[in-house]
Amino acid sequence: MSNTKNLFDKVWDLHTVKTLESGQDQLLIGLHLIHEVTSPQAFEMLRDRGLKVMFPERTMATVDHIVPTQNQARPFEDNLAEQMMSAIEKNCREFGITLLDVDDVRQGIVHVVGPEQGLTQPGMTIVCGDSHTSTHGAFGSIALGIGTSQVAHVLATQTMALGRPKVRQVKVNGELGPGVTAKDVTLYIIRKLGVQGGVGYAYEYAGDVFDRMSMEERMTVCNMSIEGGARCGYINPDQTTVDYLKGRPFTPEGAAFDKAAEWWLSLASGPDAQFDDVVEFDAADIEPTVTWGITPAQSVGVSESLAPVSDYPEDEQTLIKEAFRYMELEENQPIKGQKIDVAFIGSCTNSRISDLREAAKVVEGRHVSEHVKALVVPGSQLVRKQAMEEGLDKIFIEAGFEWREAGCSMCLAMNPDKLVGNELCASSSNRNFKGRQGSPTGRTLLMSPTMVAAAAINGCVTDVREMLSAVTA
């Protein structure tokens, strides 16, 4: 393939069926992931038109958003959740789609399950009726969140019409300091570029920081692309990608795998690849990061204080004032030491086995502050099983955390896990919008799983580096 083409353009061109009169391209979709919230209406659209699912073998369903993480007995206590569950069961039976329901050991959050099962592979076009589909870009795929009407279109035609975005390369080079995680890197990028900075772009994450990351860390970075306004984000496939995929249930085997791996690696952006824009950051400038406001870009390093409104551009000051009021925080206030009420480790951003391992290192031998409700929600049943085999559940439970079943949980509170009143939650999830975690006055501080663990133990925002140094001392 051309060395002047970046991966995004290579994959886009390979999947272009034709260019439409509108100027959009009709793309073939390699993998369609669906869940219980955005699919019921799509299936009704098919029924209304007498259509079938064109390629059911290219569609995989799971349940995650509405699934309770405590009592999973059927029928669910929430009638609407039970209706959604029944609908996806019926739809998958009728249209011949594989469903990973709560009785299937493979069930979990859709963006955890896809990679875990080897469904997500380099060079694919992947869509799902969920904003954080960009997670799958960590494998070198074009992965896009879509709306309900588009879900119906993909089910019926296995294609969709899209305008080609520009491509921005986001480079981070250097050494990350102790206690600085992939979550901190992506929050830092969003802080610097803004929540609208990526509009009209796909992001290619490049540089030695991403090269050194594990696949699970890369998924965290790509997951948050949408929060920076990008249509999607991706990282070029390399040996780390190949090693992760080998032996997964849906990847090829033997010689077929070797052939696939060779092709996957050929997709990487060439040394002379062209981009519409390039931005560069120094890893040494990144420290453990905490959002303080009502957008993921409103964040600070844990050692910083909250800048006064006057420090912001005039056109941002109204939103900044609103954020201070809603979050009940003050100008010039240090973020470190801010009292929390709830600590949540989970979500499609940070609920994988490596996230739980790192958080467990922080809490082992310690106990959750008496005024904090703390919960750990694994991203899939397989993650939960592996964590229990490693004894991580015991570490969390002994430290005073609640150990839950797999699901989206408190990330978006379409299930029983919700904030109450104006509780302040230290969360490893991806959105801190008003009311995001279930209470119209609930407040969210986004941070890494290790930072959440530290906050749970001390009852306030804590610099995890201090606790990690105590562990190694």
Side-chain angles (χ1 to χ4, degrees), residues 132-155:
H132 297 101
T133 307
S134 54
T135 306
H136 306 265
F139 292 80
S141 61
I142 296 178
L144 307 163
I146 60 176
T148 296
S149 60
Q150 292 172 308
V151 171
H153 192 91
V154 175
L155 287 171

Side-chain angles (χ1 to χ4, degrees), residues 186-188 190-191 195 224 227-228 289-299 430-433 446:
T186 192
L187 286 174
Y188 180 85
I190 295 168
R191 177 187 181 183
V195 291
M224 297 285 288
E227 307 308 332
T289 299
V290 182
T291 65
W292 64 267
I294 52 177
T295 81
Q298 293 172 342
S299 67
N430 43 52
R431 286 185 170 164
N432 56 337
F433 307 151
L446 301 177

Side-chain angles (χ1 to χ4, degrees), residues 304-322:
E304 295 181 68
S305 296
L306 307 186
V309 175
S310 59
D311 280 8
Y312 290 87
E314 190 172 343
D315 61 352
E316 295 180 20
Q317 290 184 8
T318 298
L319 181 62
I320 296 299
K321 290 176 183 177
E322 181 184 353

Side-chain angles (χ1 to χ4, degrees), residues 262-282:
E262 183 180 0
W263 183 73
W264 293 339
L265 295 174
S266 75
L267 294 169
S269 299
D272 300 318
Q274 298 175 357
F275 299 92
D276 297 286
D277 188 37
V278 178
V279 295
E280 298 188 37
F281 299 107
D282 186 342

